[in-house]
Amino acid sequence: MTEFLQVSTATETREAAVKLAQSVVSARLAAGAQIIGPVVSVFWHQGEFGTGEEWQLLLKVRADRYNKIEAHLLEHHPWQNPEVSAVRIVAGADAYLRWVETTTAPV
């Protein structure tokens, strides 16, 4: 049985988010991407406290392809140490999950 994840990352600009989303989806590593933003982030980075605006990407993926997706995001992301995290999708509409499964199946 295929398991599914929602992978998230963020970028500094809308344009960078769209470019990264297009690269992941066109490579068929994610069935789709949603870009949300701008969102306000509050964080510690390199020992400093900060706030800023980011554009969040949410990617719908097969769990068995996570390592490839993570590698792709790290290679193509404009930041040196970006957030790349995933949460398991524990339930979803059958037709939707079949779409994610077939769209991202290894060739």
Side-chain angles (χ1 to χ4, degrees):
M1 177 179 206
T2 303
E3 293 185 344
F4 303 95
L5 302 173
Q6 180 172 276
V7 175
S8 65
T9 191
T11 63
E12 188 172 3
T13 66
R14 181 184 185 277
E15 294 76 20
V18 170
K19 182 177 178 181
L20 190 57
Q22 288 173 333
S23 75
V24 175
V25 175
S26 68
R28 292 195 172 270
L29 294 172
Q34 293 172 308
I35 299 169
I36 303 163
V39 296
V40 175
S41 293
V42 179
F43 51 85
W44 282 99
H45 182 65
Q46 298 180 340
E48 294 186 22
F49 182 77
T51 60
E53 285 191 351
E54 298 177 339
W55 293 80
Q56 186 176 34
L57 281 78
L58 300 177
L59 307 163
K60 292 17 171 223
V61 308
R62 293 166 56 114
D64 61 355
R65 306 218 49 214
Y66 176 78
N67 289 338
K68 289 182 183 276
I69 293 155
E70 180 183 288
H72 183 97
L73 289 171
L74 293 175
E75 179 181 341
H76 294 90
H77 203 288
W79 292 343
Q80 201 168 29
N81 184 26
E83 167 206 358
V84 177
S85 61
V87 294
R88 194 168 306 281
I89 296 174
V90 296
D94 286 339
Y96 173 76
L97 295 178
R98 277 195 306 275
W99 171 73
V100 173
E101 181 176 31
T102 58
T103 302
T104 59
V107 178

